[in-house]
Amino acid sequence: MVEAVPVEAADGAAEAGEERPASPAETISEPAKLLRIASMVRELLDETRQASLDEAGRSRLTDVYHRAVGELREVLSPDLQEELGELAPPLEGVPSESEIRVAQAQLVGWLEGLFHGIQAAMFAQQAAARQQFEELRRRGLLSQNPESPDARP
């Protein structure tokens, strides 16, 4: 079973005890699929930088690009789908090499930003879990030794 990975902003509001405004949860339902597509798109970008493409190659690359964006949409929450749609518009007809490169670079950049967001969310979750563990540990030690100097209010 694959679980959705939340992508949250690490703004410190939860640490300060402040309420966060309700916002739609940014999630990724299939992280492994996302990573495979991102790797493929990055490799294609590298290949298009090194080779000159004829019309058939550009047409095929356009098809692959559209399929990759479609596959990405399937694993993203609606808000991330909307963001992807704004930053990775469809290519029309048979685009030039430069149009393909720019579109792929935009997609790779967006994916890298998404990965950084995931990493930041995971770091924030780990820090919060560590803080909760330390608090539970401290309370447990205090309840076992109520006369310690830390037990005073």
Side-chain angles (χ1 to χ4, degrees):
M1 182 166 118
V2 176
E3 293 184 28
V5 175
V7 181
E8 300 174 3
D11 61 3
E15 293 174 19
E18 300 172 13
E19 288 284 325
R20 285 188 182 186
S23 64
E26 296 179 341
T27 59
I28 299 165
S29 61
E30 297 180 53
K33 184 175 183 178
L34 177 77
L35 289 170
R36 287 191 306 272
I37 294 168
S39 295
M40 179 198 67
V41 171
R42 177 177 287 285
E43 186 64 31
L44 285 172
L45 179 59
D46 290 342
E47 289 294 321
T48 58
R49 286 181 182 153
Q50 298 173 12
S52 180
L53 299 171
D54 61 7
E55 185 174 337
R58 292 192 316 270
S59 179
R60 173 72 178 131
L61 200 52
T62 301
D63 291 342
V64 170
Y65 172 82
H66 287 153
R67 183 162 181 211
V69 170
E71 293 285 329
L72 284 171
R73 286 184 189 284
E74 291 178 10
V75 302
L76 300 173
S77 60
D79 51 334
L80 288 174
Q81 289 176 11
E82 182 180 333
E83 187 176 310
L84 175 63
E86 293 169 1
L87 296 173
L91 298 171
E92 302 295 329
V94 179
S96 68
E97 285 184 47
S98 60
E99 289 174 312
I100 291 172
R101 287 184 185 128
V102 167
Q104 287 179 321
Q106 281 180 294
L107 184 56
V108 167
W110 184 80
L111 287 167
E112 287 177 355
L114 186 62
F115 294 145
H116 289 299
I118 292 169
Q119 288 174 335
M122 289 175 63
F123 179 76
Q125 288 172 351
Q126 287 174 343
R130 189 176 313 123
Q131 184 178 16
Q132 288 174 343
F133 175 74
E134 291 298 325
E135 180 65 23
L136 290 173
R137 189 168 151 204
R138 186 181 68 76
R139 287 182 185 173
L141 290 175
L142 291 178
S143 65
Q144 290 175 4
N145 188 6
E147 298 194 13
S148 73
D150 293 335
R152 293 183 201 146

